[in-house]
Amino acid sequence: MKIEEYISDLLFEHDCVIVPDFGGFVCNYGSAAIDPVKHLFEPPAKRILFNKGLTRNDGLLAHHVSAKLKMSYTGALKYIAGEVKRFKEDIQKDKRLALDNIGLLYTDEKGSLLFQQDNKVNYLADSYGLSAFYHLPVSANAENQTNVIPIHSERKKLRPYAVAATITVLIASAFYFTMLDKQPNLRFSSFDFFAKREAPQYAFSPSIYKELPKPVAEESVSLPATVSTPAPTAPVPVVPIKAVPITASTSIYSVIVGSFSIKENADNLVAQCTKQNMNVAIVGKTPQGLYMVGYGNYVSHDAAATERDNLRKGIFKDAWVVAK
């Protein structure tokens, strides 16, 4: 996987993702918008900006890469450095860099680095399931227009039947009156000449047509009364790291000298530091599930920060402070 996929994952949960030694992607809330020219309706979304001044490593991307690739924190930093080198080479060579689902970085005539967001992906969790759509305006005369239904072909089909029905009625009437004249005492109360009547024919009338019931489809599908949509996935909250105390003490800060996805690696670092008479132990896990190896116990953040700076001068270049 390319590093832009890891950056895209973090943009769903965080408003700022920094790529060390390259720049940061900053998210701002953007309300719903309507384009009156294109008649385009867009839902609320995160508007992403690129700030090339945010280059200092905050550990967010490195820890995420470490967890995904199951490597150490130092290995993750090396991986990110290699990807940043590729980014800079592509921009220098092609004057542009396309990041899938994030956007396009390019340089203008003055050499300034610009960014254009890719709007295909909406990183705002509250807009889950919503998408942009076009809606054309309705004409003012549309409601007054009526559909013209051609009836000439139906009339042509009905004319032969109408003629036949008329002739039948005339013949029956003539036969009735003839029999009545020849047999005046004949009772016709139970004698029905029209036991099988033709269906009455009606002329087309708009008022009658409006009252006709709607045709029933040959096949119908029962739909549920309501259609449930999947609930939006809530962003994972950022939980403050709370380390397990090394010893029974009132200290609340410790300096992290390493974090590992495999506990055996963390145990090996503890063993090596113990041989050097360093007070280290596994103090807990990060939100990404990495085992943290902590050094010392301090009652104030300033004291822990001072010790962190001293350790960075040695072999622990990425040492950082955590609150217990």
Side-chain angles (χ1 to χ4, degrees), residues 35 37-42 131-137:
D35 190 330
V37 177
K38 298 180 179 179
H39 306 290
L40 176 64
F41 291 73
E42 295 180 308
S131 60
F133 64 93
Y134 292 91
H135 182 72
L136 298 178

Side-chain angles (χ1 to χ4, degrees), residues 65-262:
V65 171
S66 176
K68 289 292 184 180
L69 298 181
K70 299 186 183 302
M71 61 172 59
S72 65
Y73 181 82
T74 303
L77 289 177
K78 292 180 179 179
Y79 169 80
I80 294 173
E83 292 293 288
V84 169
K85 181 180 179 181
R86 177 175 64 87
F87 286 174
K88 293 180 178 179
E89 290 176 351
D90 289 346
I91 293 175
Q92 185 176 5
K93 178 181 177 181
D94 302 327
K95 306 300 182 182
R96 55 184 288 144
L97 173 65
L99 302 176
D100 294 341
N101 298 327
I102 300 176
L104 176 67
L105 286 165
Y106 61 96
T107 56
D108 59 8
E109 297 178 353
K110 298 180 180 179
S112 301
L113 186 61
L114 305 177
F115 175 73
Q116 181 178 355
Q117 181 181 352
D118 184 354
N119 293 321
K120 292 187 298 183
V121 179
N122 191 340
Y123 289 99
L124 185 64
D126 293 339
S127 296
Y128 179 84
L130 301 179
S131 60
F133 64 93
Y134 292 91
H135 182 72
L136 298 178
V138 180
S139 174
N141 298 326
E143 296 181 356
N144 298 327
Q145 295 179 356
T146 57
N147 296 328
V148 179
I149 302 175
I151 59 175
H152 301 290
S153 60
E154 297 295 331
R155 286 184 175 180
K156 291 180 180 180
K157 293 180 180 179
L158 293 177
R159 283 178 181 176
Y161 299 101
V163 173
T166 303
I167 295 174
T168 303
V169 171
L170 292 176
I171 294 174
S173 299
F175 177 76
Y176 173 78
F177 289 110
T178 301
M179 293 296 295
L180 186 63
D181 292 337
K182 292 182 178 180
Q183 300 183 18
N185 296 326
L186 183 64
R187 300 178 63 184
F188 295 95
S189 61
S190 60
F191 189 63
D192 188 1
F193 291 101
F194 309 100
K196 185 177 180 180
R197 295 185 177 88
E198 294 288 337
Q201 306 297 320
Y202 296 96
F204 176 81
S205 173
S207 60
I208 297 177
Y209 178 76
K210 293 180 180 178
E211 296 177 358
L212 290 176
K214 296 182 179 180
V216 180
E218 294 182 0
E219 296 181 1
S220 61
V221 179
S222 298
L223 296 177
T226 59
V227 179
S228 60
T229 58
T233 304
V236 180
V238 178
V239 181
I241 302 174
K242 294 186 178 181
V244 179
I246 298 175
T247 59
S249 173
T250 58
S251 60
I252 58 174
Y253 296 96
S254 182
V255 181
I256 304 303
V257 296
S259 57
F260 306 88
S261 58
I262 301 176

